[in-house]
Amino acid sequence: MKIKHIITACAMAISLGSGVMALGKEAYAAASLTPAQQGWVHKIESSLKATKTFQARFEQLSEQNGTVTGTVLLERPGQMRFSYDPPSPLLLVANEGKVVFQDRSIGQVTTIPLEHTPLGLLLRPDPRFSGDVTILDYEQRGNEIRLRVTRTENPSEGEMTLYFAAQPLTLKGWTVLDAQSHKTVVHFTNIRTGMPIAAGQFTLPKEDD
């Protein structure tokens, strides 16, 4: 499997960069939101901005690699770490404006600019679902809100659907559909916010780590 597909499958489809999805222009049309829905979007933006630290267990499902689990840490702005449970050799760390993906089984490290990944939408200092981000769809069923978004200038690169619990307002996971139509689903459990995170958790891996 090519390294880009490994990243797509095992690191939340972070490389939304090449290829074009066979979708019509109507698939990229911005959603027309009601005032109530716009209000919820503003609440989500405020909640993400206010979340300085985040820790959870994650379950990740992809077509290429099946189901894997691990622990995610986030410290805003700009830092995130996905530690995959053994026997997975994978590690993903976002810091210093980039995302570094490490496969310890082959000693390989791949680096991608953070802003070229879906993580860039979540880790920016002032999260906004407007301007360079377009909302494609908004759906609310019971206590769950689904927000489907894409990059305004390059919608053919892929899209991301974010899942939130409405009460209390909490990020529960996401689905990424990349430019090759590869889907990766991430679901969070045992969520904690506002706790201190030990120093060194976001040190970027190197080839010889």
Side-chain angles (χ1 to χ4, degrees):
M1 183 182 295
K2 295 180 180 179
I3 183 63
K4 185 167 185 179
H5 287 179
I6 295 175
I7 295 173
T8 300
C10 299
M12 302 155 299
I14 62 174
S15 55
L16 296 184
S18 65
V20 177
M21 296 170 63
L23 298 177
K25 291 184 179 179
E26 65 278 1
Y28 304 135
S32 179
L33 303 184
T34 67
Q37 291 170 338
Q38 291 173 345
W40 274 109
V41 171
H42 293 325
K43 289 179 182 179
I44 289 170
E45 292 170 339
S46 297
S47 176
L48 290 174
K49 185 175 181 178
T51 302
K52 302 305 181 183
T53 59
F54 177 100
Q55 178 179 318
R57 291 289 297 166
F58 72 85
E59 180 180 77
Q60 179 178 298
L61 176 64
S62 63
E63 298 166 357
Q64 292 89 346
N65 283 53
T67 300
V68 292
T69 59
T71 299
V72 58
L73 294 173
L74 176 152
E75 187 165 358
R76 301 192 61 262
Q79 299 182 108
M80 202 168 198
R81 177 187 177 97
F82 278 77
S83 301
Y84 292 78
D85 292 337
S88 173
L90 307 179
L91 173 67
L92 181 144
V93 181
N95 199 359
E96 300 176 11
K98 52 193 173 185
V99 175
V100 178
F101 174 74
Q102 181 183 45
D103 185 340
R104 299 184 186 93
S105 67
I106 55 176
Q108 188 165 31
V109 171
T110 302
T111 301
I112 300 173
L114 178 60
E115 283 304 311
H116 292 179
T117 78
L119 295 183
L121 305 179
L122 298 174
L123 297 180
R124 57 177 57 179
D126 189 18
R128 293 287 178 186
F129 297 105
S130 59
D132 61 345
V133 178
T134 294
I135 298 175
L136 299 175
D137 190 37
Y138 176 102
E139 182 180 8
Q140 186 167 359
R141 293 184 180 180
N143 195 47
E144 183 176 83
I145 297 172
R146 297 186 180 189
L147 197 62
R148 186 163 65 94
V149 300
T150 190
R151 293 191 178 275
T152 303
E153 295 299 321
N154 297 292
S156 62
E157 292 182 349
E159 61 186 50
M160 184 180 195
T161 301
L162 295 158
Y163 303 91
F164 298 89
Q167 297 294 338
L169 188 53
T170 309
L171 176 65
K172 300 294 290 184
W174 57 68
T175 296
V176 170
L177 187 67
D178 77 358
Q180 290 78 34
S181 296
H182 297 140
K183 181 186 291 187
T184 302
V185 180
V186 175
H187 177 66
F188 297 134
T189 57
N190 300 329
I191 296 169
R192 297 175 57 204
T193 60
M195 69 292 167
I197 295 179
Q201 293 296 312
F202 304 107
T203 302
L204 296 175
K206 300 177 181 179
E207 291 280 355
D208 55 356
D209 284 353

